[in-house]
Amino acid sequence: MAVLRVLALAAVALLALLSAALAQPARDLFGAMHSPTTGPEVPVGSYAKGCIAGAVQLPTDGPGWQAMRLSRDRRWGSAELVSYIGALAQSAAQDGWPGILVGDMGQARGGPMASGHASHQIGLDVDIWFERMPDHQLSADERESLSARSMLKKGTREIDPQRFGEAQRLLLYRAAELPGVARIFVAPGIKKSLCAVTWRDRSFLNKIRPWYGHDDHFHVRLDCPAGVELCVNQAPAPAGDGCGAELDYWFTDEPYNPSDKPPAPPLTLADLPKACTAVLKAD
C-alpha cells in the first residue's frame, strides 16, 4: 500500500508539472532551448503557431552573406531556408549586389519568441536587410550595433529614393523568383514602388505583400516542404499583382487605427500542436 501511495503521489506531482508547463508562456519555454532536436527535419503547425524538429543553424558567414544580431540565437531554420539564403546571395550577385545581411530566422526548436515576431515559428521565415553587405567581415560588435535603415521618407509611407532604388527593387525581384517562396512582406510604400515599374513579367508581384513595419528589411516566407503533413501552409495570396485597391487600403488610416480589442494573451504550449510538446521535451 505504501508503494502504491508513493506512486500515486508521484503521478499527481508529474501531472501538476505538466499542467504548469502547458500554461506557461511558450515563448519562455522555446526561448530557453539553444540546441535543435536530432533526427529528421519536421516543421510542425503554422507559421505563427508551431515549432520545428531537426532545425539547422545558418553559419555566421557564407558566400555573399553575413548574419546579424548573433546574440539573439535566431539563426535556425529548415535546410530549405538555409539553402534559400545562399541561393539568394548568389542570384543577387548577378545584379552587382555586394552581399546580403541576414536578420532573424527562428529559434533552435522554433516556437514563439519573446520579442519581435508573431511568426518565424516553423523554420521557414527569414528577415533580409535592405542594407548592402559591407566589404569586410563584420566584427561581433558591428553585428550587434549596426542598424538597418528605413527605406521610407521620415514621417511618410513613401520610399526615400536616396535609399530605395533599382538595386533594392532587383533584390526583391530575385528574392521572389527563387523556388519555394510563398510570401515576401514589405512596407506598403515599397510595394507601391515596385508596382510603379514596367516589368516584363509582373507575376512575381503577387508574392510581395504589404504589411506593417518592414520598412528596413523584407521578410521571406517559404512554402512547407513537400510531403510534410504536420506543416500548415498559408492560404494562397489573392490572384493578381496586388497593386490595386488592396494596396490603396494601406495608404488610408484604417489599417493603423488602434483596435479596441485587448491584446491576445501569449501563446502557451497547450495552444500549439501537440507534437510541439514532444519537440520541446526531446533529447
Side-chain angles (χ1 to χ4, degrees), residues 128 130 149-153 156-160 163-165 168-169 172-173 184-197 199 204-205 208-211 213-219 243 247 250-251:
I128 305 293
F130 282 116
R149 297 179 302 163
S150 174
M151 298 290 108
L152 305 182
K153 293 178 182 177
T156 78
R157 296 171 192 158
E158 305 290 341
I159 63 158
D160 181 342
R163 295 184 179 180
F164 188 89
Q168 287 76 18
R169 285 190 286 269
L172 283 167
Y173 169 79
I184 295 178
F185 299 103
V186 298
I190 291 174
K191 170 76 175 188
K192 181 179 178 180
S193 171
L194 295 172
C195 290
V197 173
W199 300 93
F204 80 98
L205 290 171
I208 299 182
R209 315 305 298 183
W211 198 246
H214 297 88
D215 56 308
D216 59 6
H217 71 278
F218 59 97
H219 171 177
C243 293
L247 179 58
W250 287 94
F251 289 88

Side-chain angles (χ1 to χ4, degrees), residues 18 29 35 75 79 81 84 113 122 166 174 224 228 246:
L18 181 57
L29 299 170
S35 62
R75 288 185 290 131
L81 187 62
Y84 173 87
M113 297 182 187
I122 58 174
E166 182 180 8
R174 294 283 185 177
C224 289
V228 181
E246 57 189 297

Side-chain angles (χ1 to χ4, degrees), residues 3 11 30 37 44 47 53 78 90-91 98 101 103 112 129 157-158 170 193 214 243 249 257 260 267 269 271:
V3 173
F30 282 92
T37 65
V44 177
Y47 301 94
S78 65
Q90 184 176 16
S91 180
L101 296 177
W129 289 21
R157 296 171 192 158
E158 305 290 341
L170 286 174
S193 171
H214 297 88
C243 293
Y249 166 78
N257 287 333
D260 293 333
L267 293 173
L269 193 56
D271 294 321

